[in-house]
């Protein structure tokens, strides 16, 4: 284990840093790139030879330099990380993935490769997007184990680390990708839907990631992130009903059904989604008072989000993501199994 004192001795200033984003073509990664560029950073985005041309062009339009590499190829990462001061890793295989991508190859091995290559290339700071620990009453699932393994590896390296642990993204879990279809006024409710959650917006997570590069409070820190509201899924439905003037049709998947499915799920992604669904009814809220003193970021409320998506005025990147992502097969499978 590398001591905090040694890390501080090795660390250099990142005020005028070059920052590379792993997962740059994803919705969170693209937003991180946009905010970094707006902050005047020199920004590089890791892209694969198979990355969609439209997304790579989008990075170029932001002023981001696209650097070719693959998380599954450590040597390509080492080359990509040369002359880079800080790395922000947002990549995950959960919502968007290509052939050969999985929890094992991306969220575990790929992220561990990022940590090793960043250390070998002499990066000064690594920011990793994780999520908070789940309570013991919830069953373990592959993505949770992956996040904890990567966090542990980051703590052992010579660079400064920042581990951000945002709770549920409102755009994902209160969006059509996972069954919250605000356009048709229909929503799938996992469990009872009464547990309070500190929903957070993707752009706010990006803001914390960008702010972490220069903020001393982020050095060698694990920071849980939530939004300004502590609302249940049913509370969120009520807000969408108020803003849209429509009454939602609800479909419930009982918690016991999800727990039965997690054991029977054929792969790690299926187990992960069911684990996350179960977590909706078990995770706690996140008190942001102290964090906001160190990071004065204006948080997005669920009502603001509802108003944005109802009038189709979400940011272009998020709008394209929501329209293009479709439904996640593992989610459809969970719904169909309950019938």
């Amino acid at each position: 284990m590398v001591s905090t004192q040694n890390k501080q001795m090795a660390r250099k200033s990142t005020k005028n840093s070059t920052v590379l984003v792993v997962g740059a073509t994803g919705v969170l990664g693209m937003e991180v790139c946009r905010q970094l560029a707006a902050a005047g950073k020199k920004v590089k985005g890791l892209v694969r030879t198979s990355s969609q041309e439209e997304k790579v062009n989008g990075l170029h339009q932001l002023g981001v330099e696209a650097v070719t590499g693959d998380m599954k190829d450590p040597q390509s990462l080492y080359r990509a990380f040369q002359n880079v001061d800080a790395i922000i890793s947002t990549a995950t295989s959960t919502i968007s993935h290509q052939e050969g991508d999985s929890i094992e190859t991306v969220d575990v091995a790929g992220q561990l490769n990022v940590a090793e290559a960043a250390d070998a290339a002499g990066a000064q700071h690594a920011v990793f997007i994780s999520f908070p620990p789940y309570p013991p009453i919830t069953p373990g699932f592959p993505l949770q184990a992956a996040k904890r393994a990567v966090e542990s590896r980051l703590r052992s390296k010579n660079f400064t680390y920042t581990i951000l642990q945002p709770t549920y993204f409102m755009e994902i879990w209160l969006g059509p990708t996972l069954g919250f279809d605000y356009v048709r006024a229909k929503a799938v409710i996992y469990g009872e839907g009464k547990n309070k959650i500190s929903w957070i917006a993707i752009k706010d997570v990006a803001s914390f990631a960008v702010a972490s590069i220069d903020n001393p409070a982020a050095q060698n820190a694990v920071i849980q992130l939530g939004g300004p509201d502590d609302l249940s899924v049913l509370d969120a439905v009520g807000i969408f009903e108020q803003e849209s003037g429509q009454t939602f049709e609800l479909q419930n998947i009982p918690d016991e059904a999800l727990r039965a499915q997690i054991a029977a799920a054929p792969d790690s992604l299926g187990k992960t989604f069911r684990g996350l669904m179960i977590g909706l009814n078990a995770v706690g809220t996140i008190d942001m008072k102290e964090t906001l003193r160190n990071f004065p970021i204006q948080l997005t409320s669920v009502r603001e989000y509802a108003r944005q998506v109802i009038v189709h005025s979400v940011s272009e990147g998020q709008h394209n993501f929501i329209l293009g992502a479709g439904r996640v097969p593992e989610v459809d499978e969970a719904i169909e199994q309950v019938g």
Side-chain angles (χ1 to χ4, degrees), residues 31-264:
E31 178 63 17
V32 169
C33 287
R34 187 191 67 78
Q35 293 191 28
L36 284 169
K41 299 291 186 185
K42 182 178 180 182
V43 190
K44 297 183 178 182
L46 190 72
V47 302
R48 293 187 278 189
T49 55
S50 56
S51 294
Q52 294 180 20
E53 184 178 358
E54 179 185 0
K55 293 183 177 181
V56 177
N57 289 338
L59 292 174
H60 290 154
Q61 291 170 9
L62 292 172
V64 176
E65 177 187 350
V67 180
T68 302
D70 192 321
M71 296 173 73
K72 300 191 285 292
D73 179 357
Q75 285 301 314
S76 75
L77 293 179
Y78 177 76
R79 291 191 297 269
F81 294 171
Q82 294 298 308
N83 302 314
V84 168
D85 301 296
I87 292 164
I88 299 177
S89 187
T90 68
T92 178
S93 65
T94 49
I95 297 294
S96 177
H97 46 264
Q98 300 181 18
E99 185 177 353
D101 292 351
S102 66
I103 301 294
E104 291 78 13
T105 62
V106 173
D107 297 87
V108 184
Q111 291 288 6
L112 293 177
N113 287 341
V114 168
E116 296 298 333
D119 195 24
Q124 298 298 313
H125 192 173
V127 180
F128 175 58
I129 308 300
S130 183
F131 57 71
Y134 275 42
I137 61 171
T138 60
F141 54 92
L143 184 62
Q144 180 178 212
K147 296 294 189 183
R148 302 293 92 87
V150 176
E151 291 174 358
S152 178
R153 183 68 60 86
L154 290 172
R155 291 189 182 98
S156 73
K157 294 304 174 185
N158 289 313
F159 47 64
T160 299
Y161 68 83
T162 303
I163 297 168
L164 299 179
Q165 296 181 330
T167 186
Y168 287 87
F169 290 4
M170 60 181 72
E171 293 92 342
I172 304 299
W173 291 90
L174 301 179
T177 303
L178 293 181
F180 196 99
D181 191 344
Y182 44 73
V183 175
R184 297 176 178 83
K186 295 181 179 181
V188 178
I189 307 298
Y190 306 107
E192 293 185 349
K194 297 179 180 179
N195 184 52
K196 302 290 185 181
I197 296 169
S198 305
W199 307 96
I200 192 164
I202 288 172
K203 71 179 182 66
D204 295 344
V205 176
S207 296
F208 282 104
V210 171
S212 294
I213 298 299
D214 297 324
N215 193 323
Q219 294 173 357
N220 301 322
V222 179
I223 305 171
Q224 294 190 3
L225 300 177
D229 306 315
D230 295 333
L231 301 170
S232 70
V233 177
L234 293 178
D235 292 335
V237 168
I239 288 174
F240 271 83
E241 289 180 332
Q242 292 167 12
E243 294 298 328
S244 67
Q246 300 183 83
T247 299
F248 271 52
E249 176 187 337
L250 304 182
Q251 178 183 359
N252 176 261
I253 299 182
D255 184 75
E256 56 269 24
L258 292 171
R259 289 176 180 269
Q261 288 181 26
I262 195 171

Side-chain angles (χ1 to χ4, degrees), residues 275-338:
L276 293 168
M277 293 168 184
I278 292 168
L280 285 168
N281 298 286
V283 299
T285 58
I286 296 175
D287 186 346
M288 291 292 289
K289 292 187 183 68
E290 180 64 28
T291 299
L292 291 176
R293 278 194 283 269
N294 295 322
F295 300 82
I297 291 169
Q298 184 67 44
L299 298 175
T300 305
S301 70
V302 170
R303 188 172 296 277
E304 289 170 326
Y305 161 65
R307 288 173 178 170
Q308 289 171 356
V309 296
I310 287 169
V311 300
H312 305 293
S313 62
V314 292
S315 70
E316 183 178 354
Q318 292 179 17
H319 184 61
N320 289 343
F321 171 78
I322 291 168
L323 292 180
R327 291 285 285 272
V328 177
E330 288 75 16
V331 175
D332 287 337
E333 181 185 339
I335 295 170
E336 289 169 2
Q337 285 183 3
V338 178

